[in-house]
Amino acid sequence: MKNKSLVSIADYTKEEYLEILRVAAEFEKNPVQKILEGRVVATLFFEPSTRTRLSFESAVNRLGGRVIGFTDSSSSSVSKGETLKDTILTVSNYSDLIVMRHPLEGSARYASEVATVPVINAGDGANQHPTQCLLDLFSIQKTQGTLENLKISMVGDLKYGRTVHSLLMAMSYFNPTFNFIAPDELKMPEEYKLFLDKKGIVYHEFTELAENIKDSDIIYMTRVQRERFADPLEYEKVKNVYILKNKMLEGTKDNMKILHPLPRVNEISTDVDSNSKAYYFPQALNGVYTRQAIMAKILGLK
Ligand code: CP
């Protein structure tokens, strides 16, 4: 993993995922370790973010490193017409590691090819969000005691949801069964179903929520992403398609946990927040430990 960019979850092996989870568990026990002293991490966010950017920055701070970057490309020379290539080449001079979120699919791969330091993809359009995926794996392993043989229900925007695409690929090493619960307009894309078919992994597709979550170990809720729709009317049609309510959790498995990469809009009713099966805020905390582990491994410090 040393000096290796993390662009897609497919860039890493199963053994590398497990190693990151092992190191993340170490950071959870002892999150303040000054191993990044003298190092600089650049966070380039061309799209809005709360959790990804701030958990990366929290992770760097707790490890004694420094953060540079921007949260809005309009405050950078991109607004003057500077290319992504020139931006990345320049920032490579100022940092040991670049964390980038960008709306264009493939932008992180391109950045990793031109950068002279490793690049971590913090989300590229509807494509991939590998660090979210690793924190999701950490959360699943922590709550279930295993990653093997779990039933995972993915709910909501499975078409544009980069977190479900990354998670599906990573979980494919651990013999899962999936329920894909989405309206017809937002179904899991064919390429991901083909990927599962080739690996012999079972999945079922549904459009109804309540009856199809009862036997799940994990319910992975997602937001319908307004920013990915070209036509606002299409968004209006599906924006409230699923709202998970406390009452729907009756009869679900005792071990079941509800995950959500957040932000939520209204797909999880706030009455679910106090249910012990709600895990989305601890999941966001796990992002700090997991991102500490990812940076430590890429910089060869663990
Ligand atoms: N989960 C996630 O990527 O959240 P942010 O968009 O707030 O970073």
Side-chain angles (χ1 to χ4, degrees):
M1 267 174 277
K2 191 175 172 190
N3 291 328
K4 194 165 153 187
S5 289
L6 176 55
V7 173
S8 162
I9 198 66
D11 293 345
Y12 282 10
T13 62
K14 176 183 177 181
E15 289 67 36
E16 287 171 328
Y17 303 159
L18 295 175
E19 172 61 7
I20 287 169
L21 302 195
R22 187 191 67 72
V23 176
E26 274 182 27
F27 280 119
E28 184 179 21
K29 286 195 201 113
N30 183 14
V32 181
Q33 302 181 32
K34 300 296 176 192
I35 59 173
L36 280 187
E37 209 133 41
R39 309 282 180 136
V40 176
V41 174
T43 56
L44 309 185
F45 278 70
F46 294 84
E47 260 195 345
S49 166
T50 296
R51 277 144 294 272
T52 309
R53 184 175 67 79
L54 293 178
S55 64
F56 261 113
E57 294 189 3
S58 173
V60 174
N61 284 322
R62 287 176 195 202
L63 297 180
R66 294 293 182 107
V67 178
I68 59 170
F70 53 77
T71 57
D72 179 356
S73 60
S74 67
S75 68
S76 77
S77 287
V78 172
S79 63
K80 301 176 202 160
E82 186 165 48
T83 62
L84 181 60
K85 180 179 178 184
D86 288 1
T87 304
I88 295 294
L89 281 172
T90 303
V91 176
S92 293
N93 289 330
Y94 305 150
S95 60
D96 300 290
L97 184 63
I98 295 174
V99 177
M100 185 180 88
R101 172 171 289 186
H102 197 285
L104 283 184
E105 294 175 27
S107 53
R109 179 69 66 202
Y110 177 70
S112 75
E113 284 165 4
V114 297
T116 56
V117 297
V119 171
I120 298 178
N121 180 8
D124 62 328
N127 187 31
Q128 285 276 317
H129 194 349
T131 66
Q132 176 71 43
C133 180
L134 286 159
L135 82 86
D136 292 342
L137 291 185
F138 185 76
S139 301
I140 293 170
Q141 187 182 56
K142 192 169 152 187
T143 60
Q144 305 300 315
T146 179
L147 291 171
E148 299 285 348
N149 305 318
L150 297 173
K151 182 150 212 182
I152 299 182
S153 291
M154 294 179 166
V155 182
D157 181 355
L158 306 188
K159 179 177 179 186
Y160 299 113
R162 58 194 174 198
T163 63
V164 289
H165 301 159
S166 294
L167 185 60
L168 169 156
M169 292 170 78
M171 284 304 298
S172 71
Y173 288 109
F174 304 101
N175 192 38
T177 305
F178 291 111
N179 284 342
F180 297 143
I181 304 173
D184 287 337
E185 296 87 337
L186 298 174
K187 281 172 72 170
M188 183 62 76
E190 286 304 315
E191 66 187 278
Y192 292 103
K193 290 190 272 180
L194 274 173
F195 172 87
L196 295 178
D197 288 338
K198 278 192 193 145
K199 293 193 132 199
I201 291 168
V202 176
Y203 59 85
H204 309 282
E205 294 190 275
F206 303 103
T207 51
E208 291 302 315
L209 176 62
E211 290 316 307
N212 297 308
I213 54 174
K214 301 290 182 202
D215 60 349
S216 306
D217 299 300
I218 295 290
I219 301 176
Y220 195 96
M221 297 296 296
T222 63
R223 171 177 70 97
V224 177
Q225 301 177 80
R226 187 181 53 207
E227 64 273 29
R228 309 273 176 236
F229 284 77
D231 180 352
L233 290 177
E234 289 300 308
Y235 170 71
E236 290 299 318
K237 269 200 271 179
V238 289
K239 69 176 185 184
N240 288 325
V241 65
Y242 303 122
I243 300 178
L244 186 68
K245 300 197 166 110
N246 216 10
K247 202 163 171 38
M248 293 179 186
L249 302 177
E250 286 169 13
T252 55
K253 291 172 75 171
D254 291 344
N255 63 303
M256 187 277 282
K257 293 290 179 210
I258 303 158
L259 271 58
H260 190 313
L262 303 177
R264 89 175 130 183
V265 183
N266 57 359
E267 58 280 0
I268 302 179
S269 168
T270 52
D271 69 358
V272 176
D273 294 357
S274 53
N275 192 306
S276 61
K277 293 179 178 177
Y279 194 73
Y280 25 94
F281 291 113
Q283 178 188 1
L285 171 61
N286 291 337
V288 176
Y289 313 129
T290 311
R291 289 174 172 128
Q292 284 180 311
I294 293 166
M295 289 189 289
K297 292 303 293 185
I298 290 178
L299 291 172
L301 302 170
K302 278 275 175 187

Coordinates of all heavy atoms in Angstrom, one line a residue, residues 86-120:
D86 N -2.7 21.0 -14.0 CA -1.8 22.0 -13.5 C -2.1 22.1 -12.0 O -1.1 22.3 -11.2 CB -2.0 23.3 -14.2 CG -1.5 23.3 -15.6 OD1 -1.0 22.2 -16.0 OD2 -1.6 24.3 -16.3
T87 N -3.3 22.1 -11.6 CA -3.6 22.2 -10.1 C -3.0 21.0 -9.4 O -2.3 21.3 -8.3 CB -5.2 22.2 -9.9 OG1 -5.7 23.2 -10.7 CG2 -5.5 22.3 -8.5
I88 N -3.1 19.8 -9.9 CA -2.6 18.7 -9.2 C -1.0 18.7 -9.2 O -0.4 18.4 -8.1 CB -3.1 17.4 -9.8 CG1 -4.6 17.3 -9.6 CG2 -2.4 16.1 -9.3 CD1 -5.1 17.1 -8.2
L89 N -0.4 19.1 -10.3 CA 1.0 19.1 -10.3 C 1.6 20.2 -9.4 O 2.6 19.9 -8.7 CB 1.5 19.5 -11.8 CG 1.5 18.3 -12.8 CD1 1.8 18.8 -14.2 CD2 2.5 17.3 -12.3
T90 N 0.8 21.3 -9.2 CA 1.3 22.3 -8.3 C 1.1 21.9 -6.9 O 2.1 22.0 -6.1 CB 0.4 23.6 -8.6 OG1 0.6 24.0 -9.9 CG2 0.9 24.7 -7.7
V91 N -0.1 21.3 -6.6 CA -0.3 20.9 -5.2 C 0.6 19.7 -4.8 O 1.0 19.6 -3.6 CB -1.8 20.6 -4.9 CG1 -2.1 20.1 -3.5 CG2 -2.7 21.8 -5.2
S92 N 1.0 18.9 -5.7 CA 2.0 17.8 -5.5 C 3.3 18.4 -4.9 O 4.0 17.8 -4.1 CB 2.4 17.1 -6.7 OG 1.3 16.4 -7.2
N93 N 3.6 19.6 -5.3 CA 4.9 20.3 -4.8 C 4.7 20.7 -3.3 O 5.7 20.9 -2.7 CB 5.2 21.6 -5.6 CG 5.6 21.3 -7.0 OD1 6.2 20.3 -7.2 ND2 5.3 22.2 -7.9
Y94 N 3.5 20.8 -2.9 CA 3.3 21.4 -1.5 C 2.9 20.4 -0.5 O 2.7 20.7 0.7 CB 2.2 22.5 -1.6 CG 2.3 23.6 -2.6 CD1 1.2 24.2 -3.2 CD2 3.6 24.0 -2.9 CE1 1.4 25.2 -4.1 CE2 3.8 25.0 -3.9 CZ 2.7 25.6 -4.4 OH 2.8 26.7 -5.3
S95 N 2.7 19.1 -0.9 CA 2.1 18.2 0.0 C 2.7 16.8 -0.1 O 3.3 16.5 -1.2 CB 0.6 18.1 -0.2 OG 0.3 17.7 -1.5
D96 N 2.4 15.9 0.9 CA 2.9 14.5 0.8 C 1.8 13.6 0.3 O 2.0 12.4 0.0 CB 3.3 14.1 2.2 CG 4.4 14.9 2.7 OD1 5.5 14.8 2.2 OD2 4.2 15.8 3.7
L97 N 0.6 14.1 0.3 CA -0.6 13.3 0.0 C -1.7 14.2 -0.4 O -1.9 15.3 0.2 CB -1.0 12.5 1.3 CG -2.1 11.5 1.3 CD1 -1.8 10.4 0.3 CD2 -2.4 11.0 2.7
I98 N -2.5 13.8 -1.5 CA -3.6 14.7 -1.9 C -4.9 13.9 -1.7 O -5.0 12.7 -2.1 CB -3.5 15.1 -3.4 CG1 -2.3 16.0 -3.6 CG2 -4.8 15.8 -3.9 CD1 -2.0 16.3 -5.1
V99 N -5.9 14.5 -1.0 CA -7.2 14.0 -0.9 C -8.1 14.8 -1.8 O -8.2 16.0 -1.6 CB -7.7 14.0 0.6 CG1 -9.1 13.5 0.7 CG2 -6.7 13.3 1.5
M100 N -8.8 14.2 -2.7 CA -9.6 15.0 -3.7 C -11.0 14.5 -3.8 O -11.2 13.3 -4.0 CB -8.9 15.0 -5.0 CG -9.6 16.0 -6.0 SD -8.8 16.0 -7.7 CE -9.7 14.7 -8.5
R101 N -12.0 15.4 -3.8 CA -13.4 15.1 -4.2 C -13.6 16.0 -5.4 O -13.3 17.2 -5.4 CB -14.3 15.5 -3.1 CG -15.8 15.4 -3.6 CD -16.8 15.5 -2.5 NE -16.8 14.2 -1.7 CZ -17.6 14.0 -0.7 NH1 -18.6 14.9 -0.4 NH2 -17.6 12.9 0.0
H102 N -14.3 15.4 -6.4 CA -14.5 16.1 -7.7 C -15.8 15.5 -8.3 O -16.1 14.3 -8.2 CB -13.3 15.8 -8.6 CG -13.2 16.8 -9.8 ND1 -14.1 16.7 -10.9 CD2 -12.4 17.9 -10.0 CE1 -13.8 17.7 -11.7 NE2 -12.8 18.4 -11.2
P103 N -16.6 16.4 -9.0 CA -17.9 15.9 -9.5 C -17.7 15.0 -10.7 O -18.7 14.2 -11.0 CB -18.6 17.2 -9.9 CG -17.6 18.2 -10.0 CD -16.5 17.8 -9.1
L104 N -16.6 15.0 -11.4 CA -16.4 14.2 -12.6 C -15.9 12.8 -12.4 O -14.9 12.6 -11.7 CB -15.5 14.9 -13.6 CG -15.9 16.1 -14.3 CD1 -14.8 16.5 -15.3 CD2 -17.2 15.7 -15.1
E105 N -16.7 11.8 -12.9 CA -16.2 10.4 -12.8 C -14.9 10.3 -13.5 O -14.8 10.8 -14.6 CB -17.3 9.5 -13.4 CG -18.5 9.5 -12.6 CD -19.7 8.7 -13.2 OE1 -19.4 7.7 -13.9 OE2 -20.8 9.1 -12.9
G106 N -13.9 9.6 -12.9 CA -12.6 9.4 -13.6 C -11.6 10.5 -13.2 O -10.4 10.4 -13.5
S107 N -12.1 11.6 -12.6 CA -11.2 12.7 -12.3 C -10.1 12.2 -11.3 O -8.9 12.7 -11.4 CB -11.9 13.9 -11.7 OG -12.7 13.5 -10.6
A108 N -10.5 11.4 -10.3 CA -9.5 11.0 -9.3 C -8.4 10.1 -10.0 O -7.2 10.1 -9.6 CB -10.2 10.2 -8.2
R109 N -8.9 9.2 -10.9 CA -7.9 8.4 -11.6 C -6.9 9.2 -12.4 O -5.7 9.0 -12.3 CB -8.6 7.4 -12.6 CG -7.7 6.5 -13.4 CD -7.0 5.4 -12.5 NE -8.0 4.5 -11.9 CZ -7.7 3.7 -10.8 NH1 -6.5 3.8 -10.2 NH2 -8.6 2.9 -10.3
Y110 N -7.5 10.2 -13.1 CA -6.6 11.1 -13.8 C -5.6 11.9 -12.9 O -4.4 11.9 -13.2 CB -7.5 12.1 -14.6 CG -6.7 13.2 -15.4 CD1 -6.0 12.8 -16.5 CD2 -6.7 14.5 -15.0 CE1 -5.2 13.7 -17.2 CE2 -5.9 15.4 -15.7 CZ -5.2 15.1 -16.8 OH -4.5 16.0 -17.5
A111 N -6.1 12.4 -11.8 CA -5.3 13.1 -10.8 C -4.1 12.2 -10.4 O -3.0 12.6 -10.2 CB -6.1 13.6 -9.7
S112 N -4.5 10.9 -10.1 CA -3.5 10.0 -9.6 C -2.4 9.7 -10.6 O -1.2 9.4 -10.3 CB -4.1 8.7 -9.1 OG -4.5 7.9 -10.2
E113 N -2.8 9.8 -11.9 CA -1.8 9.6 -13.0 C -0.8 10.8 -13.2 O 0.3 10.6 -13.6 CB -2.5 9.2 -14.3 CG -3.1 7.8 -14.2 CD -4.1 7.5 -15.3 OE1 -4.4 8.4 -16.1 OE2 -4.7 6.4 -15.3
V114 N -1.3 12.0 -12.9 CA -0.4 13.1 -13.1 C 0.3 13.6 -11.8 O 1.3 14.2 -11.9 CB -1.2 14.3 -13.7 CG1 -1.7 14.0 -15.1 CG2 -2.3 14.9 -12.8
A115 N -0.2 13.2 -10.6 CA 0.4 13.6 -9.4 C 1.7 13.0 -9.1 O 1.9 11.8 -9.6 CB -0.6 13.3 -8.2
T116 N 2.6 13.6 -8.4 CA 3.8 13.0 -8.0 C 3.8 12.6 -6.5 O 4.8 12.1 -6.0 CB 5.0 14.1 -8.2 OG1 4.7 15.2 -7.4 CG2 5.2 14.4 -9.6
V117 N 2.6 12.7 -5.9 CA 2.4 12.1 -4.6 C 1.1 11.3 -4.7 O 0.3 11.4 -5.6 CB 2.2 13.2 -3.5 CG1 3.5 14.1 -3.4 CG2 1.0 14.1 -3.8
P118 N 0.9 10.4 -3.7 CA -0.3 9.5 -3.8 C -1.6 10.4 -3.7 O -1.6 11.4 -3.0 CB -0.2 8.6 -2.6 CG 1.2 8.6 -2.2 CD 1.7 10.0 -2.6
V119 N -2.6 9.9 -4.4 CA -3.9 10.6 -4.4 C -5.0 9.7 -3.7 O -5.0 8.5 -4.1 CB -4.4 10.9 -5.8 CG1 -5.8 11.5 -5.8 CG2 -3.4 12.0 -6.4
I120 N -5.8 10.2 -2.8 CA -6.9 9.5 -2.3 C -8.2 10.1 -2.8 O -8.4 11.3 -2.7 CB -6.9 9.5 -0.7 CG1 -5.6 8.9 -0.2 CG2 -8.2 8.8 -0.2 CD1 -5.5 8.9 1.4

